[in-house]
Amino acid sequence: MAGLPRRIIKETQCLLAEPVPSIKAQPYESNTHYFHVVIAGPRDSPFEGRTFKLELFLPEEYPMAAPKVSVPQPCRSTQFFYRSRPC
């Protein structure tokens, strides 16, 4: 994680040490600005048992610049578009 802003390093270490239930976020080995994210559908919802895969990018200016999120595979939701940002 050398060369990353301290904020990204600190938040990544916290996320790996104390994972959020039903959310997995793992930095890419080749570029730690990018994360593989997998979110499990909430219990007792129409999404229970489903998983949602996202790609998260933290820009150099983070947190002053918002993270970018993309969906790496086609999704049936009308709120996401393949390889684009959520609406």
Side-chain angles (χ1 to χ4, degrees):
M1 284 196 255
L4 287 176
R6 284 185 292 182
R7 174 82 181 249
I8 293 176
I9 293 170
K10 181 180 175 186
E11 290 184 9
T12 300
Q13 289 171 338
C14 182
L15 182 64
L16 295 174
E18 299 174 26
V20 176
S22 74
I23 298 176
K24 283 181 161 182
Q26 193 70 29
Y28 281 51
E29 288 184 26
S30 59
N31 185 343
T32 51
H33 281 272
Y34 284 91
F35 288 77
H36 293 285
V37 179
V38 179
I39 302 172
R43 269 193 265 171
D44 301 322
S45 80
F47 304 105
E48 183 175 14
R50 296 188 62 196
T51 57
F52 301 90
K53 297 178 183 178
L54 307 171
E55 293 177 354
L56 176 76
F57 173 73
L58 298 176
E60 195 71 36
E61 303 81 21
Y62 176 83
M64 300 312 291
K68 292 179 173 59
V69 178
S70 66
V71 180
Q73 76 277 352
C75 181
R76 293 187 189 144
S77 171
T78 58
Q79 295 183 351
F80 288 100
F81 294 95
Y82 178 62
R83 289 270 180 220
S84 68
R85 298 176 67 185
C87 298

Coordinates of all heavy atoms in Angstrom, one line a residue:
M1 N 0.8 -1.2 0.0 CA 0.0 0.0 0.0 C 0.9 1.3 0.0 O 0.4 2.3 0.2 CB -0.9 0.0 1.2 CG -2.1 -0.9 1.0 SD -3.4 -0.6 2.2 CE -3.2 -2.0 3.3
A2 N 2.1 1.1 -0.3 CA 3.0 2.2 -0.3 C 2.6 3.2 -1.4 O 2.1 2.8 -2.5 CB 4.4 1.8 -0.5
G3 N 2.7 4.4 -1.2 CA 2.4 5.4 -2.2 C 0.9 5.9 -2.1 O 0.5 6.8 -2.9
L4 N 0.1 5.3 -1.3 CA -1.3 5.7 -1.2 C -1.4 6.8 -0.1 O -0.7 6.8 0.8 CB -2.1 4.5 -0.7 CG -2.4 3.4 -1.7 CD1 -3.2 2.2 -1.1 CD2 -3.2 3.9 -2.9
P5 N -2.5 7.6 -0.2 CA -2.7 8.6 0.8 C -3.0 7.8 2.1 O -3.6 6.8 2.2 CB -4.0 9.3 0.3 CG -4.0 9.1 -1.2 CD -3.4 7.7 -1.4
R6 N -2.6 8.5 3.2 CA -2.8 7.9 4.6 C -4.2 7.5 4.8 O -4.5 6.5 5.5 CB -2.2 8.8 5.6 CG -0.7 8.8 5.7 CD -0.3 9.6 6.8 NE -0.6 11.0 6.6 CZ -0.3 12.0 7.3 NH1 0.4 11.8 8.5 NH2 -0.6 13.2 7.0
R7 N -5.1 8.3 4.4 CA -6.6 8.1 4.6 C -7.0 6.8 4.0 O -7.7 6.0 4.7 CB -7.4 9.3 4.1 CG -8.9 9.1 4.1 CD -9.4 9.5 5.5 NE -10.9 9.3 5.5 CZ -11.7 10.3 5.6 NH1 -11.3 11.6 5.7 NH2 -13.0 10.1 5.7
I8 N -6.6 6.5 2.8 CA -7.0 5.2 2.2 C -6.3 4.0 2.9 O -7.0 3.0 3.1 CB -6.6 5.2 0.7 CG1 -7.4 6.3 -0.1 CG2 -6.8 3.8 0.1 CD1 -7.1 6.4 -1.5
I9 N -5.1 4.2 3.3 CA -4.4 3.1 4.0 C -5.1 2.8 5.3 O -5.4 1.7 5.6 CB -2.9 3.5 4.3 CG1 -2.1 3.5 2.9 CG2 -2.2 2.5 5.2 CD1 -0.7 4.1 3.1
K10 N -5.4 3.9 6.1 CA -6.1 3.7 7.4 C -7.4 3.0 7.2 O -7.8 2.1 7.9 CB -6.2 5.1 8.0 CG -6.9 5.0 9.4 CD -7.0 6.4 10.0 CE -7.7 6.4 11.3 NZ -8.0 7.7 11.8
E11 N -8.2 3.5 6.3 CA -9.6 2.9 6.1 C -9.5 1.5 5.6 O -10.3 0.7 5.9 CB -10.4 3.9 5.2 CG -10.8 5.1 5.9 CD -11.7 6.1 5.1 OE1 -12.2 5.6 4.0 OE2 -11.8 7.2 5.5
T12 N -8.6 1.2 4.7 CA -8.4 -0.2 4.2 C -8.0 -1.1 5.3 O -8.6 -2.2 5.5 CB -7.3 -0.2 3.1 OG1 -7.8 0.6 2.0 CG2 -7.2 -1.6 2.6
Q13 N -7.1 -0.7 6.2 CA -6.7 -1.5 7.3 C -7.9 -1.8 8.2 O -8.1 -2.9 8.7 CB -5.5 -0.9 8.0 CG -4.2 -0.9 7.3 CD -3.1 -0.1 7.9 OE1 -3.3 0.8 8.7 NE2 -1.9 -0.4 7.5
C14 N -8.6 -0.7 8.5 CA -9.8 -0.9 9.4 C -10.8 -1.8 8.8 O -11.4 -2.7 9.5 CB -10.4 0.5 9.6 SG -11.8 0.5 10.7
L15 N -11.1 -1.7 7.5 CA -12.0 -2.5 6.8 C -11.6 -4.0 6.8 O -12.4 -4.9 7.0 CB -12.2 -2.1 5.3 CG -13.2 -2.8 4.5 CD1 -14.6 -2.6 5.0 CD2 -13.1 -2.3 3.1
L16 N -10.3 -4.3 6.6 CA -9.8 -5.6 6.7 C -9.8 -6.2 8.1 O -10.0 -7.4 8.3 CB -8.4 -5.7 6.0 CG -8.4 -5.4 4.5 CD1 -6.9 -5.3 4.1 CD2 -9.2 -6.3 3.7
A17 N -9.5 -5.4 9.1 CA -9.5 -5.8 10.5 C -10.9 -6.0 11.0 O -11.1 -6.9 11.9 CB -8.7 -4.8 11.3
E18 N -11.9 -5.2 10.6 CA -13.2 -5.2 11.2 C -14.2 -5.2 10.0 O -14.8 -4.2 9.7 CB -13.5 -4.0 12.1 CG -12.6 -4.0 13.3 CD -12.8 -2.7 14.1 OE1 -13.9 -2.2 14.0 OE2 -11.8 -2.3 14.8
P19 N -14.3 -6.4 9.3 CA -15.2 -6.4 8.1 C -16.7 -6.1 8.5 O -17.1 -6.4 9.6 CB -15.1 -7.8 7.6 CG -14.1 -8.5 8.5 CD -13.7 -7.6 9.6
V20 N -17.4 -5.5 7.6 CA -18.8 -5.2 7.7 C -19.6 -6.5 7.4 O -19.3 -7.1 6.3 CB -19.2 -4.0 6.7 CG1 -20.7 -3.8 6.8 CG2 -18.4 -2.8 7.0
P21 N -20.5 -6.9 8.2 CA -21.3 -8.1 7.9 C -22.0 -8.0 6.5 O -22.5 -7.0 6.1 CB -22.4 -8.1 9.0 CG -21.8 -7.3 10.1 CD -21.0 -6.2 9.4
S22 N -21.9 -9.1 5.8 CA -22.5 -9.3 4.5 C -21.8 -8.4 3.4 O -22.3 -8.4 2.3 CB -24.0 -9.1 4.5 OG -24.3 -7.7 4.6
I23 N -20.7 -7.8 3.7 CA -20.0 -7.0 2.6 C -18.5 -7.4 2.7 O -17.9 -7.4 3.7 CB -20.1 -5.5 2.9 CG1 -21.5 -5.1 2.8 CG2 -19.2 -4.8 1.8 CD1 -21.7 -3.6 3.1
K24 N -18.0 -7.9 1.5 CA -16.5 -8.2 1.4 C -15.9 -7.1 0.5 O -16.4 -6.9 -0.6 CB -16.3 -9.6 0.8 CG -16.6 -10.7 1.7 CD -16.3 -12.0 0.9 CE -16.0 -13.2 1.7 NZ -15.7 -14.3 0.9
A25 N -14.8 -6.5 0.9 CA -14.1 -5.6 0.1 C -12.6 -5.9 0.2 O -12.1 -6.0 1.3 CB -14.4 -4.2 0.6
Q26 N -12.1 -6.2 -1.0 CA -10.7 -6.6 -1.0 C -9.9 -5.8 -2.0 O -10.4 -5.7 -3.2 CB -10.6 -8.1 -1.4 CG -9.3 -8.8 -1.2 CD -8.9 -8.9 0.2 OE1 -9.8 -9.1 1.1 NE2 -7.7 -8.9 0.5
P27 N -8.8 -5.1 -1.7 CA -8.1 -4.3 -2.7 C -7.4 -5.2 -3.7 O -7.0 -6.3 -3.4 CB -7.0 -3.6 -1.8 CG -6.9 -4.3 -0.5 CD -8.2 -5.1 -0.3
Y28 N -7.4 -4.7 -4.9 CA -6.6 -5.4 -6.0 C -5.2 -5.4 -5.5 O -4.6 -4.5 -5.0 CB -6.7 -4.6 -7.3 CG -7.9 -4.7 -8.1 CD1 -9.2 -4.5 -7.5 CD2 -7.8 -5.0 -9.4 CE1 -10.3 -4.6 -8.3 CE2 -9.0 -5.1 -10.2 CZ -10.2 -4.9 -9.7 OH -11.3 -4.9 -10.4
E29 N -4.4 -6.5 -5.8 CA -3.0 -6.6 -5.5 C -2.2 -5.6 -6.4 O -1.2 -5.0 -5.9 CB -2.5 -8.0 -5.6 CG -3.0 -8.9 -4.6 CD -2.4 -10.3 -4.7 OE1 -1.3 -10.5 -5.2 OE2 -3.1 -11.2 -4.2
S30 N -2.6 -5.5 -7.6 CA -1.8 -4.7 -8.6 C -2.1 -3.2 -8.4 O -1.2 -2.4 -8.8 CB -2.1 -5.1 -10.0 OG -3.5 -4.9 -10.3
N31 N -3.2 -2.8 -7.9 CA -3.5 -1.3 -7.7 C -4.5 -1.2 -6.5 O -5.7 -1.5 -6.7 CB -4.2 -0.8 -9.0 CG -4.4 0.7 -8.9 OD1 -4.4 1.3 -7.8 ND2 -4.6 1.3 -10.0
T32 N -4.0 -0.8 -5.4 CA -4.8 -0.7 -4.2 C -5.8 0.4 -4.1 O -6.4 0.6 -3.1 CB -3.9 -0.7 -2.9 OG1 -2.9 0.3 -3.1 CG2 -3.2 -2.1 -2.8
H33 N -5.9 1.2 -5.2 CA -6.9 2.2 -5.3 C -8.3 1.5 -5.7 O -9.3 2.1 -5.5 CB -6.6 3.3 -6.4 CG -5.7 4.3 -5.9 ND1 -6.1 5.5 -5.2 CD2 -4.3 4.4 -6.0 CE1 -5.0 6.2 -4.9 NE2 -4.0 5.6 -5.4
Y34 N -8.1 0.3 -6.3 CA -9.3 -0.4 -6.7 C -9.6 -1.5 -5.7 O -8.7 -2.2 -5.2 CB -9.0 -1.1 -8.1 CG -9.1 -0.2 -9.3 CD1 -7.9 0.5 -9.7 CD2 -10.3 0.1 -9.9 CE1 -8.0 1.4 -10.8 CE2 -10.3 0.9 -11.0 CZ -9.2 1.6 -11.4 OH -9.2 2.5 -12.5
F35 N -10.9 -1.8 -5.6 CA -11.4 -2.8 -4.7 C -12.4 -3.7 -5.4 O -13.3 -3.2 -6.1 CB -12.1 -2.2 -3.4 CG -11.2 -1.6 -2.5 CD1 -10.6 -0.3 -2.7 CD2 -10.8 -2.2 -1.3 CE1 -9.8 0.3 -1.8 CE2 -10.0 -1.6 -0.4 CZ -9.4 -0.3 -0.7
H36 N -12.3 -5.0 -5.1 CA -13.4 -6.0 -5.4 C -14.4 -5.9 -4.3 O -14.0 -6.1 -3.1 CB -12.9 -7.4 -5.5 CG -12.0 -7.7 -6.7 ND1 -12.4 -7.8 -8.0 CD2 -10.6 -7.9 -6.7 CE1 -11.4 -8.0 -8.7 NE2 -10.3 -8.1 -8.0
V37 N -15.6 -5.7 -4.5 CA -16.6 -5.6 -3.5 C -17.7 -6.6 -3.8 O -18.2 -6.7 -4.9 CB -17.2 -4.2 -3.3 CG1 -18.3 -4.2 -2.2 CG2 -16.1 -3.2 -3.1
V38 N -18.1 -7.4 -2.8 CA -19.2 -8.4 -2.9 C -20.2 -8.1 -1.8 O -19.8 -8.1 -0.6 CB -18.7 -9.8 -2.9 CG1 -19.9 -10.8 -3.0 CG2 -17.7 -10.1 -4.0
I39 N -21.4 -7.8 -2.1 CA -22.5 -7.5 -1.1 C -23.5 -8.6 -1.2 O -24.0 -8.9 -2.3 CB -23.1 -6.2 -1.4 CG1 -22.1 -5.1 -1.4 CG2 -24.2 -5.9 -0.4 CD1 -22.6 -3.7 -1.8
A40 N -23.8 -9.2 0.0 CA -24.9 -10.2 0.0 C -26.2 -9.6 0.2 O -26.3 -8.6 0.9 CB -24.6 -11.2 1.2
G41 N -27.2 -10.1 -0.5 CA -28.6 -9.5 -0.4 C -29.1 -9.7 1.0 O -28.8 -10.7 1.7
P42 N -29.8 -8.6 1.6 CA -30.2 -8.7 2.9 C -31.3 -9.8 3.2 O -32.1 -10.1 2.3 CB -30.9 -7.3 3.2 CG -30.8 -6.6 1.9 CD -30.1 -7.4 0.9
R43 N -31.2 -10.3 4.4 CA -32.2 -11.4 4.8 C -33.6 -10.8 4.7 O -33.8 -9.6 4.9 CB -31.9 -11.8 6.2 CG -31.0 -13.0 6.2 CD -31.0 -13.7 7.5 NE -29.8 -13.1 8.2 CZ -29.6 -13.3 9.5 NH1 -30.4 -14.0 10.2 NH2 -28.5 -12.8 10.0
D44 N -34.6 -11.6 4.5 CA -36.0 -11.2 4.5 C -36.3 -10.1 3.5 O -37.1 -9.2 3.7 CB -36.5 -10.8 5.9 CG -36.3 -11.9 6.9 OD1 -36.5 -13.1 6.5 OD2 -35.9 -11.6 8.0
S45 N -35.6 -10.2 2.3 CA -35.8 -9.2 1.3 C -35.9 -10.0 0.0 O -35.5 -11.2 -0.1 CB -34.7 -8.2 1.2 OG -33.6 -8.7 0.5
P46 N -36.4 -9.4 -1.1 CA -36.4 -10.1 -2.4 C -34.9 -10.4 -2.9 O -34.8 -11.3 -3.8 CB -37.0 -9.1 -3.4 CG -37.8 -8.2 -2.5 CD -37.0 -8.1 -1.2
F47 N -33.9 -9.8 -2.3 CA -32.5 -10.0 -2.7 C -31.8 -11.1 -1.9 O -30.6 -11.3 -2.1 CB -31.8 -8.7 -2.7 CG -32.5 -7.7 -3.5 CD1 -33.2 -6.6 -2.9 CD2 -32.4 -7.7 -4.9 CE1 -33.8 -5.7 -3.7 CE2 -33.0 -6.8 -5.7 CZ -33.8 -5.7 -5.1
E48 N -32.5 -11.7 -0.9 CA -31.9 -12.7 0.0 C -31.3 -13.8 -0.9 O -32.0 -14.3 -1.8 CB -32.9 -13.2 1.0 CG -32.3 -14.2 1.9 CD -33.3 -14.6 3.0 OE1 -34.5 -14.4 2.9 OE2 -32.8 -15.2 4.0
G49 N -30.1 -14.2 -0.6 CA -29.5 -15.3 -1.3 C -28.7 -14.9 -2.6 O -28.1 -15.7 -3.2
R50 N -28.9 -13.7 -2.9 CA -28.2 -13.1 -4.1 C -26.9 -12.4 -3.7 O -26.8 -11.9 -2.6 CB -29.1 -12.2 -4.9 CG -30.3 -12.9 -5.4 CD -31.1 -12.1 -6.4 NE -30.3 -11.7 -7.5 CZ -30.7 -10.7 -8.3 NH1 -31.8 -10.0 -8.1 NH2 -30.0 -10.4 -9.4
T51 N -26.0 -12.3 -4.6 CA -24.7 -11.5 -4.3 C -24.6 -10.5 -5.4 O -25.0 -10.7 -6.6 CB -23.5 -12.4 -4.2 OG1 -23.3 -13.1 -5.4 CG2 -23.5 -13.3 -3.1
F52 N -24.0 -9.4 -5.1 CA -23.9 -8.3 -6.0 C -22.4 -7.9 -6.0 O -21.8 -7.6 -5.0 CB -24.7 -7.1 -5.6 CG -26.2 -7.4 -5.5 CD1 -26.7 -7.9 -4.3 CD2 -27.0 -7.3 -6.6 CE1 -28.1 -8.2 -4.3 CE2 -28.3 -7.7 -6.6 CZ -28.9 -8.1 -5.4
K53 N -21.8 -8.0 -7.2 CA -20.4 -7.7 -7.3 C -20.2 -6.3 -7.9 O -20.9 -5.9 -8.8 CB -19.7 -8.7 -8.2 CG -19.8 -10.1 -7.7 CD -19.2 -11.1 -8.6 CE -19.3 -12.5 -8.0 NZ -18.8 -13.5 -8.9
L54 N -19.3 -5.5 -7.2 CA -19.0 -4.2 -7.7 C -17.5 -4.0 -7.7 O -16.7 -4.7 -7.1 CB -19.6 -3.2 -6.6 CG -21.0 -3.3 -6.3 CD1 -21.3 -2.4 -5.1 CD2 -21.9 -2.9 -7.4
E55 N -17.1 -3.0 -8.5 CA -15.7 -2.5 -8.5 C -15.7 -1.1 -7.9 O -16.5 -0.3 -8.3 CB -15.1 -2.5 -9.9 CG -15.0 -3.9 -10.4 CD -14.4 -3.9 -11.8 OE1 -14.3 -2.8 -12.5 OE2 -14.2 -5.0 -12.4
L56 N -14.9 -0.8 -6.9 CA -14.8 0.5 -6.3 C -13.4 1.1 -6.6 O -12.4 0.4 -6.5 CB -15.0 0.3 -4.8 CG -14.9 1.5 -3.9 CD1 -16.1 2.4 -4.1 CD2 -14.7 1.2 -2.5
F57 N -13.4 2.3 -6.9 CA -12.1 3.0 -7.2 C -12.1 4.3 -6.2 O -13.0 5.1 -6.2 CB -12.0 3.5 -8.6 CG -10.8 4.4 -8.9 CD1 -9.5 3.8 -8.9 CD2 -10.9 5.7 -9.0 CE1 -8.4 4.6 -9.1 CE2 -9.8 6.5 -9.2 CZ -8.6 6.0 -9.2
L58 N -11.0 4.4 -5.5 CA -10.8 5.5 -4.6 C -9.8 6.4 -5.3 O -8.6 6.1 -5.4 CB -10.3 5.1 -3.2 CG -11.2 4.2 -2.4 CD1 -10.6 3.8 -1.1 CD2 -12.5 4.9 -2.1
P59 N -10.2 7.6 -5.7 CA -9.3 8.5 -6.4 C -8.2 9.1 -5.5 O -8.4 9.0 -4.2 CB -10.2 9.6 -7.0 CG -11.4 9.6 -6.1 CD -11.6 8.2 -5.6
E60 N -7.2 9.5 -6.0 CA -6.1 10.1 -5.2 C -6.6 11.2 -4.3 O -6.1 11.4 -3.2 CB -5.0 10.7 -6.2 CG -3.7 11.0 -5.5 CD -2.9 9.7 -5.1 OE1 -3.0 8.7 -5.8 OE2 -2.2 9.8 -4.1
E61 N -7.6 12.0 -4.7 CA -8.1 13.1 -4.0 C -9.1 12.7 -2.9 O -9.7 13.5 -2.2 CB -8.8 14.1 -4.9 CG -8.0 14.6 -6.0 CD -7.8 13.6 -7.2 OE1 -8.7 12.8 -7.3 OE2 -6.9 13.8 -7.9
Y62 N -9.4 11.3 -2.7 CA -10.4 10.8 -1.7 C -9.9 11.3 -0.4 O -8.7 11.3 -0.1 CB -10.4 9.3 -1.8 CG -11.3 8.7 -0.7 CD1 -12.6 8.6 -0.9 CD2 -10.7 8.2 0.4 CE1 -13.4 8.0 0.1 CE2 -11.5 7.6 1.4 CZ -12.9 7.6 1.2 OH -13.6 7.0 2.2
P63 N -10.8 11.8 0.5 CA -12.2 11.8 0.5 C -12.8 13.1 -0.1 O -14.1 13.2 -0.1 CB -12.6 11.7 2.0 CG -11.5 12.5 2.6 CD -10.3 12.2 1.8
M64 N -12.0 14.0 -0.6 CA -12.6 15.2 -1.2 C -13.3 14.9 -2.6 O -14.1 15.7 -3.0 CB -11.5 16.3 -1.4 CG -10.9 16.7 0.0 SD -12.1 17.1 1.3 CE -12.8 18.6 0.7
A65 N -12.8 13.9 -3.2 CA -13.5 13.4 -4.4 C -14.2 12.1 -4.1 O -13.6 11.2 -3.4 CB -12.4 13.2 -5.5
A66 N -15.4 11.9 -4.6 CA -16.2 10.7 -4.3 C -15.6 9.5 -5.0 O -15.0 9.5 -6.0 CB -17.6 10.9 -4.8
P67 N -15.8 8.3 -4.3 CA -15.3 7.1 -4.9 C -16.2 6.8 -6.1 O -17.3 7.3 -6.3 CB -15.6 6.0 -3.8 CG -16.0 6.7 -2.6 CD -16.3 8.1 -3.0
K68 N -15.6 6.0 -7.1 CA -16.4 5.6 -8.3 C -16.7 4.2 -8.1 O -15.9 3.4 -7.7 CB -15.5 5.9 -9.5 CG -15.3 7.4 -9.8 CD -14.4 7.6 -11.0 CE -14.3 9.0 -11.4 NZ -13.8 9.9 -10.4
V69 N -17.9 3.8 -8.5 CA -18.4 2.4 -8.4 C -18.9 2.0 -9.7 O -19.6 2.7 -10.4 CB -19.6 2.3 -7.4 CG1 -20.1 0.9 -7.3 CG2 -19.1 2.8 -6.0
S70 N -18.5 0.8 -10.1 CA -19.0 0.2 -11.4 C -19.5 -1.2 -11.1 O -19.0 -1.8 -10.2 CB -18.0 0.3 -12.5 OG -16.9 -0.5 -12.2
V71 N -20.4 -1.7 -12.0 CA -20.9 -3.0 -11.9 C -20.2 -3.8 -13.0 O -20.4 -3.5 -14.2 CB -22.4 -3.1 -12.1 CG1 -23.0 -4.5 -12.0 CG2 -23.1 -2.1 -11.1
P72 N -19.3 -4.8 -12.6 CA -18.5 -5.5 -13.7 C -19.3 -6.5 -14.5 O -18.8 -7.0 -15.5 CB -17.4 -6.2 -12.9 CG -18.0 -6.4 -11.5 CD -19.0 -5.2 -11.3
Q73 N -20.5 -6.8 -14.2 CA -21.3 -7.8 -15.0 C -22.7 -7.2 -15.2 O -23.1 -6.3 -14.4 CB -21.4 -9.1 -14.3 CG -22.3 -9.2 -13.1 CD -21.8 -8.7 -11.8 OE1 -20.6 -8.4 -11.7 NE2 -22.6 -8.6 -10.8
P74 N -23.4 -7.6 -16.2 CA -24.7 -7.1 -16.5 C -25.6 -7.4 -15.2 O -25.5 -8.4 -14.6 CB -25.2 -7.9 -17.7 CG -24.0 -8.4 -18.4 CD -23.0 -8.6 -17.3
C75 N -26.5 -6.5 -14.9 CA -27.3 -6.5 -13.8 C -28.8 -6.2 -14.2 O -29.0 -5.4 -15.1 CB -26.9 -5.5 -12.7 SG -27.8 -5.5 -11.2
R76 N -29.7 -6.9 -13.7 CA -31.1 -6.7 -14.1 C -31.8 -5.5 -13.5 O -32.8 -5.1 -13.8 CB -31.9 -8.0 -13.7 CG -31.5 -9.2 -14.5 CD -32.4 -10.3 -14.3 NE -31.9 -11.5 -14.9 CZ -31.9 -12.7 -14.5 NH1 -32.6 -12.9 -13.3 NH2 -31.4 -13.7 -15.1
S77 N -31.1 -4.9 -12.5 CA -31.7 -3.7 -11.9 C -31.7 -2.5 -12.8 O -30.7 -2.3 -13.6 CB -30.9 -3.4 -10.6 OG -31.3 -2.1 -10.1
T78 N -32.7 -1.7 -12.8 CA -32.8 -0.5 -13.6 C -31.9 0.6 -13.0 O -31.7 1.6 -13.7 CB -34.2 0.0 -13.8 OG1 -34.7 0.2 -12.5 CG2 -35.1 -1.1 -14.5
Q79 N -31.4 0.4 -11.8 CA -30.6 1.5 -11.2 C -29.1 1.3 -11.5 O -28.3 2.2 -11.1 CB -30.8 1.5 -9.7 CG -32.3 1.9 -9.4 CD -32.5 2.0 -7.9 OE1 -31.7 1.6 -7.1 NE2 -33.7 2.5 -7.6
F80 N -28.7 0.2 -12.2 CA -27.3 0.0 -12.5 C -27.2 -0.2 -14.0 O -28.0 -0.8 -14.6 CB -26.7 -1.2 -11.8 CG -26.5 -0.9 -10.3 CD1 -27.4 -1.4 -9.4 CD2 -25.4 -0.2 -9.9 CE1 -27.3 -1.2 -8.0 CE2 -25.3 0.0 -8.5 CZ -26.2 -0.5 -7.6
F81 N -26.1 0.2 -14.6 CA -25.8 0.0 -16.0 C -24.4 -0.7 -16.0 O -23.5 -0.3 -15.3 CB -25.8 1.3 -16.8 CG -27.2 1.9 -16.8 CD1 -27.5 2.9 -16.0 CD2 -28.1 1.5 -17.8 CE1 -28.8 3.5 -16.0 CE2 -29.3 2.0 -17.8 CZ -29.7 3.0 -17.0
Y82 N -24.3 -1.7 -16.9 CA -23.1 -2.4 -17.0 C -21.9 -1.5 -17.3 O -22.0 -0.6 -18.2 CB -23.2 -3.4 -18.2 CG -22.0 -4.2 -18.5 CD1 -21.5 -5.1 -17.6 CD2 -21.4 -4.1 -19.8 CE1 -20.4 -5.9 -17.9 CE2 -20.3 -4.9 -20.1 CZ -19.8 -5.7 -19.1 OH -18.7 -6.5 -19.4
R83 N -20.9 -1.6 -16.5 CA -19.6 -0.8 -16.7 C -19.9 0.7 -16.5 O -19.2 1.5 -17.2 CB -18.9 -1.1 -18.0 CG -18.3 -2.5 -18.0 CD -16.9 -2.3 -17.5 NE -16.2 -3.7 -17.5 CZ -15.4 -4.1 -16.6 NH1 -15.1 -3.4 -15.6 NH2 -14.9 -5.3 -16.7
S84 N -20.8 1.1 -15.7 CA -21.0 2.5 -15.6 C -21.3 2.8 -14.1 O -21.3 1.9 -13.3 CB -22.2 3.0 -16.4 OG -23.4 2.5 -16.0
R85 N -21.5 4.0 -13.8 CA -21.8 4.4 -12.4 C -23.3 4.2 -12.1 O -24.1 4.4 -12.9 CB -21.4 5.9 -12.2 CG -19.9 6.0 -12.5 CD -19.5 7.5 -12.4 NE -19.7 7.9 -11.0 CZ -19.5 9.2 -10.6 NH1 -19.1 10.1 -11.5 NH2 -19.6 9.5 -9.4
P86 N -23.6 3.9 -10.8 CA -25.0 3.8 -10.4 C -25.7 5.1 -10.5 O -25.1 6.2 -10.4 CB -24.9 3.4 -8.9 CG -23.5 3.2 -8.6 CD -22.7 3.7 -9.7
C87 N -27.0 5.0 -10.8 CA -27.8 6.2 -10.9 C -28.3 6.6 -9.5 O -28.5 5.9 -8.6 CB -29.0 5.9 -11.7 SG -28.6 5.5 -13.4

